[in-house]
Amino acid sequence: MPADPDRHRQEPAQLRPEGAGAHPAHAVHLAGRTGALGAGALCYNGAETGASGRTRRRSGTVDGARVRAAIFAAGELYDLERVRALVGRPDLVICADAGLRHAQALGLRVDLVLGDFDSLDGAALEAARAAGMAIVQVPVEKDKTDSHLALEEALRRGAEEILLVGGSGTRLDHTLSNVLLLPECPVPITMTDGKSVARVLRDGQSLAVRREEGAYLSLVPLTPAVTGVAASGVYWPLEGATLRWGESLGISNRVVEPAARVSVGSGCLLVIQAWD
Amino acid sequence: MPADPDRHRQEPAQLRPEGAGAHPAHAVHLAGRTGALGAGALCYNGAETGASGRTRRRSGTVDGARVRAAIFAAGELYDLERVRALVGRPDLVICADAGLRHAQALGLRVDLVLGDFDSLDGAALEAARAAGMAIVQVPVEKDKTDSHLALEEALRRGAEEILLVGGSGTRLDHTLSNVLLLPECPVPITMTDGKSVARVLRDGQSLAVRREEGAYLSLVPLTPAVTGVAASGVYWPLEGATLRWGESLGISNRVVEPAARVSVGSGCLLVIQAWD
């Protein structure tokens, strides 16, 4: 967010990954990855498996469980209690700029606040500093959004599962940019604003989605066509369907069994539970 | 929006295109199309050309000018005055369900209100009927969103240029579904909520974007990679750049000349002017 065009553009030195080139997170090819979401609150409500149906459990660094990170962006939260239930007790909390207010509203211990601080007022920043929070100020002029830097920092600190909170809101460009961080993230990532809970499925992946009171289940094709889409346990089942841009077929389905299952042949699908 | 799962799913007969198959709008291949936006208020602030740079002007049915349609969806409007300036005096106004309230707030003559009316209350609907507005009620259970049906109806009525208003808001699935109507629309289409003005560029297309007070200019890759991106007249020019999912490079640029020019080699790019 280049609020001050007179500054020189530079990469934030504090956050530059070790070694040359991009952060390794972005070099990981996701298609065909397998993983199993555990029972923690950050796990959204799904269990993800590869095409084979086998699951894999990685040993994390916290009591052998997966390292779960919550990232708070500066967008909107429409239902704090739903977010509270999803967040649970994360191992790592990173706030991007004014996302700090969301973490504070939830009473969470914050590991790091980072940003160019164009959206967090000085008093709030000083209060955070006085409370002993780690704070990293990055240049206003940079090639990445604060949310993106927070995501990279979470990966660098070993996050094996991420909940991105407050990444959507009144700036459509930021909302879309945050949504499009999901497909390339090398670990399972969920995005929520309290009224929507979104996950990405790519080639050959599948996801279980628990029934939630009052929730719609929408399937949005992020690539121009997503083929081989199957959805069971829903009011309008799909089998071998193709979802395309310019159609709205996948919007506002309903989970009618204890859990639905959604799988994708090829392409990239956003799976969203949403409440009116 | 299947609010009542006991109803049978059916296509809305009133809106079914003549002949078999999908609406011809969706059969049109957009890559390489050429078009020139005129000077009307609906024209956003760009002039679109094909790769050759040549422009084409189609004769419309209203005084030889292009038929300009405004579609009002039921999402949020964050700046009514900016929307008012963009909307101007459209030839055709179609409201999707509670989108009616936006058209009424702007004092526009409404040609058609359509929807399943799950979001417009009965009193408002009766008032619209009493005021002589054409109203089409579609089944709650349908394969398309109300916004999508409104877009199809606008095309059927000869719209040659469309402004989609209120298509974004607190339902992330609807916001994304509406954004993804843009790339397949066979006529120039702009989407706005008053705080963002979004257009799509595809393979070989270019767009001029006027400088607007306080506006950011963001370039969001809708396909996993958009290559050959050029942006001139902006604070951070691009030439032959590739924009990818998982990066946020294109967010929050600034137009620094009277007009910027953005062009795309291959892929699909969302060009968004946004205000904080």
Side-chain angles (χ1 to χ4, degrees):
Chain A
M1 283 173 272
D4 177 2
D6 293 330
R7 296 198 197 184
H8 290 295
R9 186 169 221 182
Q10 54 181 300
E11 283 293 305
Q14 306 93 321
L15 292 170
R16 183 180 296 144
E18 287 140 32
H23 188 273
H26 291 149
V28 175
H29 182 57
L30 287 182
R33 81 157 187 258
T34 60
L37 295 184
L42 268 184
C43 291
Y44 172 38
N45 62 0
E48 188 181 6
T49 63
S52 69
R54 290 183 309 166
T55 59
R56 178 169 63 95
R57 184 161 185 87
R58 295 192 293 180
S59 58
T61 58
V62 177
D63 299 333
R66 294 160 70 98
V67 177
R68 300 177 303 125
I71 295 171
F72 289 88
E76 301 296 318
L77 289 195
Y78 300 111
D79 187 323
L80 198 64
E81 292 316 306
R82 191 171 288 128
V83 171
R84 188 189 304 280
L86 282 163
V87 169
R89 298 170 64 87
D91 304 305
L92 178 63
V93 175
I94 300 182
C95 299
D97 214 302
L100 175 62
R101 66 190 161 94
H102 299 318
Q104 288 177 323
L106 292 169
L108 291 171
R109 173 193 50 74
V110 172
D111 293 287
L112 176 68
V113 189
L114 69 80
D116 50 26
F117 301 121
D118 65 343
S119 64
L120 190 65
D121 70 48
L125 191 58
E126 277 316 303
R129 210 183 302 271
M133 291 180 203
I135 292 172
V136 171
Q137 182 152 13
V138 299
V140 172
E141 303 217 359
K142 56 189 184 297
D143 283 347
K144 298 170 182 176
T145 59
D146 290 340
S147 304
H148 188 179
L149 291 171
L151 174 60
E152 289 191 336
E153 188 62 15
L155 291 168
R156 199 168 297 128
R157 293 181 181 213
E160 295 172 293
E161 188 179 323
I162 293 171
L163 183 67
L164 173 58
V165 182
S168 48
T170 61
R171 276 277 300 266
L172 181 64
D173 53 341
H174 275 283
T175 298
L176 292 170
S177 175
N178 286 330
V179 167
L180 295 177
L181 291 174
L182 271 54
E184 298 299 314
C185 183
V187 303
I189 182 168
T190 301
M191 179 169 163
T192 190
D193 57 17
K195 282 191 69 166
S196 62
V197 180
R199 289 290 309 271
V200 154
L201 285 182
R202 300 190 73 153
D203 319 73
Q205 293 182 329
S206 65
L207 181 70
V209 182
R210 275 209 306 266
R211 186 172 59 206
E212 299 279 353
E213 178 68 24
Y216 295 100
L217 178 68
S218 291
L219 307 179
V220 179
L222 280 185
T223 40
V226 182
T227 66
V229 178
S232 60
V234 295
Y235 186 69
W236 291 295
L238 297 174
E239 184 61 46
T242 297
L243 299 180
R244 298 179 197 278
W245 287 358
E247 299 173 356
S248 47
L249 174 68
I251 303 300
S252 297
N253 210 328
R254 293 280 195 180
V255 179
V256 293
E257 292 179 11
R261 176 154 289 277
V262 182
S263 60
V264 160
S266 70
C268 183
L269 185 72
L270 204 62
V271 180
I272 304 181
Q273 279 187 297
W275 289 260
D276 267 332
Chain B
M1 284 172 273
D4 177 3
D6 292 331
R7 297 196 195 184
H8 290 296
R9 186 169 221 181
Q10 54 181 299
E11 281 294 304
Q14 305 94 320
L15 293 170
R16 185 179 295 142
E18 288 139 30
H23 188 272
H26 291 149
V28 175
H29 182 55
L30 286 182
R33 80 158 189 260
T34 59
L37 294 184
L42 270 183
C43 292
Y44 172 38
N45 62 1
E48 189 181 5
T49 62
S52 68
R54 289 184 310 165
T55 61
R56 179 169 64 96
R57 184 162 184 87
R58 294 192 294 182
S59 58
T61 59
V62 177
D63 300 332
R66 295 160 71 97
V67 177
R68 299 176 306 124
I71 294 171
F72 289 87
E76 300 297 318
L77 289 196
Y78 300 111
D79 186 323
L80 198 64
E81 292 316 306
R82 191 171 288 130
V83 172
R84 189 189 303 279
L86 283 163
V87 169
R89 298 169 65 86
D91 304 306
L92 178 62
V93 175
I94 299 181
C95 299
D97 214 302
L100 175 62
R101 64 189 162 94
H102 299 318
Q104 288 177 321
L106 293 169
L108 291 171
R109 174 192 50 73
V110 172
D111 293 287
L112 176 68
V113 189
L114 70 80
D116 52 26
F117 302 121
D118 65 343
S119 65
L120 190 64
D121 70 48
L125 191 58
E126 277 316 303
R129 209 183 303 272
M133 290 180 203
I135 293 172
V136 171
Q137 183 153 13
V138 299
V140 171
E141 303 217 359
K142 56 188 184 297
D143 283 347
K144 298 171 182 175
T145 59
D146 290 340
S147 305
H148 188 181
L149 291 171
L151 174 60
E152 289 191 338
E153 188 61 16
L155 292 168
R156 198 168 299 127
R157 293 181 180 213
E160 295 172 293
E161 188 179 324
I162 294 171
L163 183 67
L164 173 57
V165 182
S168 48
T170 61
R171 275 278 300 267
L172 181 65
D173 52 342
H174 275 283
T175 297
L176 292 170
S177 175
N178 287 330
V179 166
L180 295 177
L181 292 175
L182 272 54
E184 298 299 315
C185 183
V187 303
I189 182 167
T190 302
M191 179 169 164
T192 189
D193 57 17
K195 281 190 69 166
S196 62
V197 180
R199 289 290 310 272
V200 153
L201 285 183
R202 299 190 75 152
D203 320 71
Q205 293 181 330
S206 65
L207 182 70
V209 182
R210 275 209 304 266
R211 186 172 59 207
E212 299 279 352
E213 179 68 24
Y216 294 101
L217 178 68
S218 291
L219 307 179
V220 179
L222 281 185
T223 41
V226 181
T227 66
V229 178
S232 59
V234 295
Y235 186 69
W236 291 295
L238 297 173
E239 182 61 48
T242 297
L243 300 181
R244 297 178 196 279
W245 287 358
E247 299 174 355
S248 47
L249 175 67
I251 303 300
S252 296
N253 210 328
R254 292 280 196 181
V255 179
V256 294
E257 292 179 10
R261 176 154 289 275
V262 182
S263 60
V264 160
S266 70
C268 183
L269 185 73
L270 203 62
V271 180
I272 304 181
Q273 279 186 296
W275 288 260
D276 266 332

